[in-house]
Amino acid sequence: MTVYTKQWRAEQAKVKSARSKLASASKKNGSILSEKANLKAKINANQKEIDGLKEGVNYYRKKKSDKKLTKRKTPKPLTAAQKKRISTLQTQIDKANTKLNSSDFKSKASNASSKVSNAQKKLSSAKSERDKYESKRHKTALKRIAAQRKQNAEQFLAPHASLHATNSMTGLEVFIFASSESESNESEATTYPIDHDDPVVDHVRRTGKTITVTGWLFDQKAGDRLWSGKKDDVSGAGLVAKTVQKQFQNLRKWQFDGTELVYKSDWVKPGFNHIYYKHLFMTGLEKTLDAPYKGMIQITMTFQFAYKARVVTKKKTKKNSGKKSKSGTKKKSKKKTIAVKYGMTYWGLAKTYHTTVTQLRKWNGSEKKTMYPDPKTGKYPKRLRVK
């Protein structure tokens, strides 16, 4: 569907420009939002690590089997390494909070969000203006098509037909002097064989409707046209002067583009055969070059009658972290254990396997009993669960 007007191109250019500006604004806004999310995640992760380091200082378990922690009367002193680590983490938290709460960062985020909102409004407005213009053009095109068809029918008694796009905005129409038109309807019956009798059927459904048209295309010369109109006119009652080759190219483009078409034949004069179909899609186009004159081409067109499917998009649903069994119950994620090696710490393992020191203690117990080898054998007590 092509519109040959400068105004349509201008409206379409506005839509493209607005869409480009929205994409640019969304990209910048997304970058700021990502930075903000990263800063918050860093603050939370550092704070959790600090809490984990301090937890062993202020709490303990009376028994290995105890789930609850007991607060120490006198906090256990931090090691030099722990103090240094806490200081580093706290410095990072302070820097992140300073940046998040700075007026420059807040202003930058607010401006980016405002630009996205304004770009969305401009794109919506541009689309609305283009759609209004297209609707106006479509109504004008339908009037023009009707006028062309009527004029053609009044001038020629030979069997004729016209073809145009359903959503045409230019009034482009191709006239065919049809010599034969046929309609074929197909259905599919679901049958089942039975013993000693004819098969039975329990379901019949339509599989398709096919329209086949054979006819002629003629040159539309400037001085001997089938209808009136100025040269290169796309808004009045006439079309440009087109050769049969150009008319055939129009038909072929409709076929290649999958354009929905309207076919009407002999609709004005009473007593003539009449076929009128909307929702046609050209599935076959054949030409035969056996005419005695250059300005004539015999063609055969095959159409399939069908409605366009409506595509409905749905939001993606969040997937569960665990898999479901055949019964529908959620399976728990698999546990993972590792062998303890020299130099390992709960803090290091928590960082590597994306968990917390507190969780490692719940799974394995205190690091005093799990992270040190037996003095006699040199072996570590057990494997550690990390997931």
Side-chain angles (χ1 to χ4, degrees):
M1 180 180 65
T2 306
V3 182
Y4 301 97
T5 63
K6 292 181 179 179
Q7 185 177 348
W8 183 87
R9 291 191 181 96
E11 297 294 340
Q12 184 68 4
K14 289 179 183 178
V15 173
K16 288 183 178 180
S17 176
R19 187 178 286 114
S20 176
K21 289 179 180 178
L22 175 59
S24 178
S26 298
K27 186 177 180 181
K28 290 181 180 178
N29 188 50
S31 177
I32 293 172
L33 291 175
S34 178
E35 184 181 2
K36 186 176 181 180
N38 289 337
L39 289 171
K40 287 184 176 180
K42 189 172 186 179
I43 291 170
N44 292 333
N46 285 10
Q47 190 59 52
K48 283 184 179 180
E49 189 175 339
I50 290 173
D51 293 342
L53 290 170
K54 290 181 177 180
E55 191 177 70
V57 173
N58 298 314
Y59 296 89
Y60 72 99
R61 283 187 175 86
K62 293 181 179 180
K63 295 180 181 179
K64 291 182 179 180
S65 58
D66 288 347
K67 293 183 179 180
K68 293 183 178 179
L69 295 171
T70 304
K71 189 172 183 179
R72 299 177 187 273
K73 293 181 179 180
T74 304
K76 186 181 177 181
L78 292 167
T79 64
Q82 289 174 330
K83 290 180 179 179
K84 185 178 180 181
R85 181 59 184 168
I86 290 173
S87 177
T88 302
L89 294 172
Q90 190 60 51
T91 301
Q92 292 175 357
I93 289 174
D94 293 340
K95 286 183 178 179
N97 278 323
T98 301
K99 186 169 185 179
L100 279 174
N101 297 321
S102 66
S103 58
D104 290 343
F105 188 82
K106 288 182 178 180
S107 177
K108 187 178 178 182
S110 178
N111 290 338
S113 178
S114 179
K115 286 182 180 179
V116 170
S117 179
N118 291 335
Q120 288 174 338
K121 290 179 181 178
K122 288 182 180 180
L123 176 60
S124 178
S125 176
K127 284 183 177 180
S128 178
E129 291 298 321
R130 183 197 59 186
D131 293 344
K132 286 180 183 178
Y133 177 73
E134 287 181 353
S135 177
K136 182 180 177 181
R137 287 283 303 170
H138 180 58
K139 290 179 181 179
T140 303
L142 291 181
K143 290 180 182 179
R144 176 187 173 203
I145 287 169
Q148 290 172 169
R149 191 181 295 116
K150 184 177 180 180
Q151 188 176 12
N152 181 266
E154 290 172 351
Q155 293 179 2
F156 293 90
L157 292 176
H160 67 281
S162 66
L163 196 66
H164 66 84
T166 303
N167 58 351
S168 174
M169 288 190 293
T170 63
L172 176 60
E173 192 170 18
V174 175
F175 284 97
I176 304 102
F177 286 80
S179 57
S180 67
E181 299 168 327
S182 64
E183 176 184 318
S184 175
N185 294 276
E186 298 86 24
S187 296
E188 182 182 79
T190 305
T191 59
Y192 302 93
I194 59 175
D195 295 336
H196 311 297
D197 206 343
D198 293 329
V200 295
V201 62
D202 66 349
H203 182 67
V204 178
R205 63 178 181 177
R206 290 190 62 183
T207 56
K209 178 186 288 186
T210 304
I211 312 297
T212 304
V213 178
T214 300
W216 297 83
L217 294 177
F218 291 91
D219 270 343
Q220 301 170 8
K221 295 183 180 178
D224 187 22
R225 270 190 243 172
L226 303 183
W227 56 90
S228 63
K230 297 179 181 179
K231 187 176 181 181
D232 297 331
D233 180 23
V234 294
S235 58
L239 290 173
V240 297
K242 287 189 178 181
T243 63
V244 288
Q245 286 78 12
K246 288 185 178 180
Q247 294 176 63
F248 186 80
Q249 288 173 6
N250 289 333
L251 295 175
R252 187 170 56 189
K253 189 175 188 305
W254 281 338
Q255 181 194 11
F256 289 172
D257 292 347
T259 304
E260 184 178 327
L261 302 170
V262 176
Y263 179 85
K264 280 189 178 183
S265 66
D266 299 310
W267 70 287
V268 174
K269 293 184 179 296
F272 284 84
N273 290 330
H274 170 70
I275 287 183
Y276 174 27
Y277 274 116
K278 298 179 181 179
H279 314 297
L280 295 181
F281 296 89
M282 193 181 300
T283 57
L285 178 62
E286 178 184 349
K287 66 178 178 179
T288 305
L289 302 175
D290 61 351
Y293 300 106
K294 289 183 179 180
M296 299 170 59
I297 291 180
Q298 185 179 15
I299 62 170
T300 300
M301 299 178 293
T302 305
F303 302 97
Q304 187 73 35
F305 177 88
Y307 294 104
K308 275 192 173 182
R310 292 184 178 182
V311 179
V312 180
T313 57
K314 293 183 179 181
K315 291 183 178 180
K316 292 183 178 180
T317 55
K318 293 183 178 180
K319 295 182 178 179
N320 293 326
S321 57
K323 296 181 180 179
K324 286 189 175 181
S325 62
K326 292 182 180 179
S327 61
T329 58
K330 187 176 175 182
K331 291 183 179 179
K332 293 183 179 179
S333 57
K334 293 182 179 179
K335 297 179 181 179
K336 182 174 182 178
T337 60
I338 61 169
V340 182
K341 295 181 180 179
Y342 178 79
M344 285 185 174
T345 61
Y346 270 20
W347 175 81
L349 293 174
K351 191 174 182 180
T352 303
Y353 294 98
H354 306 290
T355 184
T356 62
V357 174
T358 304
Q359 186 62 54
L360 290 174
R361 285 177 182 153
K362 287 181 180 180
W363 285 335
N364 307 291
S366 175
E367 54 265 46
K368 291 183 179 180
K369 297 181 179 180
T370 57
M371 304 301 288
Y372 296 94
D374 186 90
K376 295 180 181 180
T377 62
K379 294 182 180 180
Y380 289 90
K382 63 176 184 179
R383 293 175 66 85
L384 293 180
R385 179 183 172 185
V386 291
K387 280 190 179 180

mmCIF file of all heavy atoms in Angstrom, residues 8 39 47-48 59 65 70 75 85-87 94 101 119 177 188 201 205 235 279 305 307 322 352 379 382:
data_model
loop_
_atom_site.group_PDB
_atom_site.id
_atom_site.type_symbol
_atom_site.label_atom_id
_atom_site.label_comp_id
_atom_site.label_asym_id
_atom_site.label_seq_id
_atom_site.Cartn_x
_atom_site.Cartn_y
_atom_site.Cartn_z
ATOM 1 N N TRP A 8 1.544 12.721 3.002
ATOM 2 C CA TRP A 8 1.670 11.419 3.677
ATOM 3 C C TRP A 8 3.122 11.148 4.040
ATOM 4 O O TRP A 8 3.413 10.669 5.129
ATOM 5 C CB TRP A 8 1.146 10.305 2.786
ATOM 6 C CG TRP A 8 1.184 8.968 3.474
ATOM 7 C CD1 TRP A 8 0.224 8.435 4.269
ATOM 8 C CD2 TRP A 8 2.251 8.008 3.433
ATOM 9 N NE1 TRP A 8 0.609 7.207 4.743
ATOM 10 C CE2 TRP A 8 1.857 6.919 4.247
ATOM 11 C CE3 TRP A 8 3.484 7.969 2.820
ATOM 12 C CZ2 TRP A 8 2.671 5.810 4.437
ATOM 13 C CZ3 TRP A 8 4.288 6.867 3.005
ATOM 14 C CH2 TRP A 8 3.879 5.793 3.809
ATOM 15 N N LEU A 39 23.570 0.701 42.159
ATOM 16 C CA LEU A 39 24.003 1.338 43.407
ATOM 17 C C LEU A 39 23.231 0.782 44.606
ATOM 18 O O LEU A 39 23.803 0.493 45.656
ATOM 19 C CB LEU A 39 23.807 2.857 43.318
ATOM 20 C CG LEU A 39 24.761 3.613 42.379
ATOM 21 C CD1 LEU A 39 24.321 5.057 42.213
ATOM 22 C CD2 LEU A 39 26.196 3.546 42.902
ATOM 23 N N GLN A 47 25.798 -4.256 52.960
ATOM 24 C CA GLN A 47 25.206 -4.245 54.297
ATOM 25 C C GLN A 47 24.984 -5.669 54.809
ATOM 26 O O GLN A 47 25.201 -5.961 55.996
ATOM 27 C CB GLN A 47 23.879 -3.490 54.263
ATOM 28 C CG GLN A 47 23.305 -3.206 55.642
ATOM 29 C CD GLN A 47 24.231 -2.386 56.505
ATOM 30 O OE1 GLN A 47 24.696 -1.325 56.087
ATOM 31 N NE2 GLN A 47 24.536 -2.862 57.704
ATOM 32 N N LYS A 48 24.579 -6.565 53.916
ATOM 33 C CA LYS A 48 24.392 -7.966 54.309
ATOM 34 C C LYS A 48 25.723 -8.589 54.735
ATOM 35 O O LYS A 48 25.786 -9.367 55.688
ATOM 36 C CB LYS A 48 23.792 -8.758 53.145
ATOM 37 C CG LYS A 48 22.305 -8.534 52.951
ATOM 38 C CD LYS A 48 21.773 -9.412 51.847
ATOM 39 C CE LYS A 48 20.276 -9.202 51.663
ATOM 40 N NZ LYS A 48 19.724 -10.055 50.571
ATOM 41 N N TYR A 59 26.519 -12.827 68.473
ATOM 42 C CA TYR A 59 25.620 -13.950 68.746
ATOM 43 C C TYR A 59 26.377 -15.280 68.699
ATOM 44 O O TYR A 59 27.438 -15.387 68.081
ATOM 45 C CB TYR A 59 24.478 -13.978 67.714
ATOM 46 C CG TYR A 59 23.574 -12.774 67.772
ATOM 47 C CD1 TYR A 59 23.864 -11.631 67.022
ATOM 48 C CD2 TYR A 59 22.462 -12.775 68.595
ATOM 49 C CE1 TYR A 59 23.049 -10.518 67.081
ATOM 50 C CE2 TYR A 59 21.629 -11.661 68.662
ATOM 51 C CZ TYR A 59 21.925 -10.543 67.900
ATOM 52 O OH TYR A 59 21.120 -9.441 67.972
ATOM 53 N N SER A 65 22.457 -28.000 67.561
ATOM 54 C CA SER A 65 21.109 -28.194 67.020
ATOM 55 C C SER A 65 20.225 -26.957 67.159
ATOM 56 O O SER A 65 19.137 -26.912 66.585
ATOM 57 C CB SER A 65 20.438 -29.383 67.723
ATOM 58 O OG SER A 65 20.390 -29.161 69.137
ATOM 59 N N THR A 70 21.873 -16.930 70.269
ATOM 60 C CA THR A 70 21.858 -16.287 71.592
ATOM 61 C C THR A 70 22.837 -15.119 71.593
ATOM 62 O O THR A 70 23.979 -15.254 71.131
ATOM 63 C CB THR A 70 22.245 -17.291 72.687
ATOM 64 O OG1 THR A 70 21.363 -18.418 72.610
ATOM 65 C CG2 THR A 70 22.148 -16.648 74.059
ATOM 66 N N PRO A 75 30.375 -8.680 73.551
ATOM 67 C CA PRO A 75 30.703 -8.954 72.154
ATOM 68 C C PRO A 75 32.133 -9.453 71.987
ATOM 69 O O PRO A 75 33.051 -8.989 72.670
ATOM 70 C CB PRO A 75 30.523 -7.600 71.478
ATOM 71 C CG PRO A 75 29.621 -6.838 72.377
ATOM 72 C CD PRO A 75 29.939 -7.294 73.762
ATOM 73 N N ARG A 85 37.820 -5.085 56.512
ATOM 74 C CA ARG A 85 36.789 -5.404 55.513
ATOM 75 C C ARG A 85 35.521 -4.592 55.763
ATOM 76 O O ARG A 85 34.922 -4.039 54.825
ATOM 77 C CB ARG A 85 36.469 -6.901 55.562
ATOM 78 C CG ARG A 85 35.419 -7.358 54.556
ATOM 79 C CD ARG A 85 35.853 -7.052 53.146
ATOM 80 N NE ARG A 85 34.819 -7.389 52.180
ATOM 81 C CZ ARG A 85 34.844 -7.024 50.912
ATOM 82 N NH1 ARG A 85 35.856 -6.312 50.435
ATOM 83 N NH2 ARG A 85 33.879 -7.360 50.098
ATOM 84 N N ILE A 86 35.107 -4.483 57.016
ATOM 85 C CA ILE A 86 33.908 -3.709 57.349
ATOM 86 C C ILE A 86 34.100 -2.236 56.992
ATOM 87 O O ILE A 86 33.195 -1.577 56.474
ATOM 88 C CB ILE A 86 33.564 -3.873 58.840
ATOM 89 C CG1 ILE A 86 33.049 -5.295 59.117
ATOM 90 C CG2 ILE A 86 32.525 -2.853 59.276
ATOM 91 C CD1 ILE A 86 32.832 -5.602 60.572
ATOM 92 N N SER A 87 35.284 -1.726 57.251
ATOM 93 C CA SER A 87 35.578 -0.334 56.926
ATOM 94 C C SER A 87 35.492 -0.092 55.421
ATOM 95 O O SER A 87 34.923 0.914 54.968
ATOM 96 C CB SER A 87 36.969 0.035 57.436
ATOM 97 O OG SER A 87 37.309 1.358 57.074
ATOM 98 N N ASP A 94 28.699 4.382 51.808
ATOM 99 C CA ASP A 94 28.594 5.838 51.961
ATOM 100 C C ASP A 94 28.707 6.548 50.607
ATOM 101 O O ASP A 94 27.958 7.489 50.324
ATOM 102 C CB ASP A 94 29.675 6.360 52.905
ATOM 103 C CG ASP A 94 29.463 5.866 54.334
ATOM 104 O OD1 ASP A 94 28.320 5.466 54.662
ATOM 105 O OD2 ASP A 94 30.446 5.857 55.114
ATOM 106 N N ASN A 101 21.679 10.198 46.563
ATOM 107 C CA ASN A 101 20.956 11.311 47.175
ATOM 108 C C ASN A 101 21.421 12.682 46.685
ATOM 109 O O ASN A 101 20.892 13.709 47.145
ATOM 110 C CB ASN A 101 21.103 11.255 48.702
ATOM 111 C CG ASN A 101 20.476 10.000 49.277
ATOM 112 O OD1 ASN A 101 19.415 9.571 48.821
ATOM 113 N ND2 ASN A 101 21.121 9.403 50.275
ATOM 114 N N ALA A 119 8.387 12.246 24.807
ATOM 115 C CA ALA A 119 8.593 11.556 23.526
ATOM 116 C C ALA A 119 7.435 10.614 23.223
ATOM 117 O O ALA A 119 7.018 10.479 22.070
ATOM 118 C CB ALA A 119 9.915 10.791 23.562
ATOM 119 N N PHE A 177 -10.633 -7.199 -18.590
ATOM 120 C CA PHE A 177 -11.741 -7.658 -19.428
ATOM 121 C C PHE A 177 -11.818 -9.175 -19.284
ATOM 122 O O PHE A 177 -11.133 -9.928 -19.962
ATOM 123 C CB PHE A 177 -11.529 -7.216 -20.880
ATOM 124 C CG PHE A 177 -11.767 -5.754 -21.079
ATOM 125 C CD1 PHE A 177 -10.803 -4.837 -20.740
ATOM 126 C CD2 PHE A 177 -12.991 -5.296 -21.562
ATOM 127 C CE1 PHE A 177 -11.024 -3.474 -20.891
ATOM 128 C CE2 PHE A 177 -13.223 -3.934 -21.717
ATOM 129 C CZ PHE A 177 -12.232 -3.016 -21.385
ATOM 130 N N GLU A 188 -13.598 -30.412 4.177
ATOM 131 C CA GLU A 188 -12.936 -31.648 4.595
ATOM 132 C C GLU A 188 -13.848 -32.396 5.562
ATOM 133 O O GLU A 188 -14.316 -31.837 6.559
ATOM 134 C CB GLU A 188 -11.618 -31.304 5.307
ATOM 135 C CG GLU A 188 -10.821 -32.509 5.745
ATOM 136 C CD GLU A 188 -9.551 -32.091 6.487
ATOM 137 O OE1 GLU A 188 -9.665 -31.745 7.685
ATOM 138 O OE2 GLU A 188 -8.477 -32.086 5.871
ATOM 139 N N VAL A 201 -19.320 -40.240 9.114
ATOM 140 C CA VAL A 201 -18.660 -38.950 9.284
ATOM 141 C C VAL A 201 -19.186 -38.280 10.557
ATOM 142 O O VAL A 201 -20.376 -38.391 10.875
ATOM 143 C CB VAL A 201 -18.893 -38.035 8.060
ATOM 144 C CG1 VAL A 201 -20.365 -37.741 7.874
ATOM 145 C CG2 VAL A 201 -18.106 -36.735 8.206
ATOM 146 N N ARG A 205 -15.638 -29.581 7.935
ATOM 147 C CA ARG A 205 -15.199 -28.186 8.061
ATOM 148 C C ARG A 205 -14.731 -27.657 6.721
ATOM 149 O O ARG A 205 -14.202 -28.402 5.885
ATOM 150 C CB ARG A 205 -14.083 -28.071 9.079
ATOM 151 C CG ARG A 205 -12.824 -28.804 8.717
ATOM 152 C CD ARG A 205 -11.743 -28.590 9.769
ATOM 153 N NE ARG A 205 -10.515 -29.294 9.402
ATOM 154 C CZ ARG A 205 -9.387 -29.238 10.114
ATOM 155 N NH1 ARG A 205 -9.356 -28.536 11.216
ATOM 156 N NH2 ARG A 205 -8.318 -29.888 9.715
ATOM 157 N N SER A 235 -5.411 11.943 -7.259
ATOM 158 C CA SER A 235 -6.455 12.377 -6.341
ATOM 159 C C SER A 235 -7.792 12.618 -7.033
ATOM 160 O O SER A 235 -8.812 12.741 -6.379
ATOM 161 C CB SER A 235 -6.027 13.668 -5.632
ATOM 162 O OG SER A 235 -5.766 14.671 -6.581
ATOM 163 N N HIS A 279 -11.787 -9.515 0.871
ATOM 164 C CA HIS A 279 -10.921 -10.450 1.608
ATOM 165 C C HIS A 279 -10.295 -11.509 0.690
ATOM 166 O O HIS A 279 -10.234 -12.676 1.030
ATOM 167 C CB HIS A 279 -11.692 -11.143 2.727
ATOM 168 C CG HIS A 279 -12.528 -10.222 3.555
ATOM 169 N ND1 HIS A 279 -11.979 -9.210 4.319
ATOM 170 C CD2 HIS A 279 -13.878 -10.142 3.717
ATOM 171 C CE1 HIS A 279 -12.957 -8.558 4.932
ATOM 172 N NE2 HIS A 279 -14.109 -9.098 4.585
ATOM 173 N N PHE A 305 -9.897 -16.879 -0.722
ATOM 174 C CA PHE A 305 -10.733 -16.086 0.174
ATOM 175 C C PHE A 305 -10.380 -16.427 1.614
ATOM 176 O O PHE A 305 -10.389 -17.585 2.023
ATOM 177 C CB PHE A 305 -12.217 -16.389 -0.083
ATOM 178 C CG PHE A 305 -13.152 -15.663 0.842
ATOM 179 C CD1 PHE A 305 -13.612 -14.397 0.533
ATOM 180 C CD2 PHE A 305 -13.562 -16.248 2.023
ATOM 181 C CE1 PHE A 305 -14.475 -13.723 1.384
ATOM 182 C CE2 PHE A 305 -14.425 -15.594 2.889
ATOM 183 C CZ PHE A 305 -14.878 -14.325 2.570
ATOM 184 N N TYR A 307 -10.017 -14.434 5.889
ATOM 185 C CA TYR A 307 -9.973 -13.281 6.775
ATOM 186 C C TYR A 307 -8.597 -13.198 7.417
ATOM 187 O O TYR A 307 -8.006 -14.230 7.741
ATOM 188 C CB TYR A 307 -11.038 -13.389 7.867
ATOM 189 C CG TYR A 307 -12.458 -13.329 7.346
ATOM 190 C CD1 TYR A 307 -13.228 -14.480 7.261
ATOM 191 C CD2 TYR A 307 -13.025 -12.123 6.945
ATOM 192 C CE1 TYR A 307 -14.532 -14.431 6.778
ATOM 193 C CE2 TYR A 307 -14.319 -12.062 6.466
ATOM 194 C CZ TYR A 307 -15.074 -13.226 6.385
ATOM 195 O OH TYR A 307 -16.352 -13.173 5.911
ATOM 196 N N GLY A 322 11.956 -23.179 40.460
ATOM 197 C CA GLY A 322 12.065 -24.637 40.511
ATOM 198 C C GLY A 322 11.214 -25.282 39.448
ATOM 199 O O GLY A 322 10.241 -24.710 38.961
ATOM 200 N N THR A 352 31.227 -16.236 46.505
ATOM 201 C CA THR A 352 31.371 -17.068 45.300
ATOM 202 C C THR A 352 30.051 -17.709 44.897
ATOM 203 O O THR A 352 29.717 -17.763 43.706
ATOM 204 C CB THR A 352 32.427 -18.164 45.534
ATOM 205 O OG1 THR A 352 33.659 -17.551 45.890
ATOM 206 C CG2 THR A 352 32.612 -19.010 44.288
ATOM 207 N N LYS A 379 42.633 -34.039 58.331
ATOM 208 C CA LYS A 379 41.458 -34.008 57.461
ATOM 209 C C LYS A 379 40.416 -33.049 58.018
ATOM 210 O O LYS A 379 40.303 -32.867 59.216
ATOM 211 C CB LYS A 379 40.858 -35.403 57.338
ATOM 212 C CG LYS A 379 41.768 -36.398 56.625
ATOM 213 C CD LYS A 379 41.072 -37.740 56.506
ATOM 214 C CE LYS A 379 41.971 -38.760 55.784
ATOM 215 N NZ LYS A 379 41.313 -40.069 55.664
ATOM 216 N N LYS A 382 33.986 -32.326 57.457
ATOM 217 C CA LYS A 382 32.949 -32.733 56.504
ATOM 218 C C LYS A 382 32.955 -31.811 55.296
ATOM 219 O O LYS A 382 33.611 -30.767 55.266
ATOM 220 C CB LYS A 382 31.564 -32.688 57.167
ATOM 221 C CG LYS A 382 31.148 -31.304 57.615
ATOM 222 C CD LYS A 382 29.731 -31.310 58.181
ATOM 223 C CE LYS A 382 29.285 -29.909 58.539
ATOM 224 N NZ LYS A 382 27.905 -29.896 59.060
#
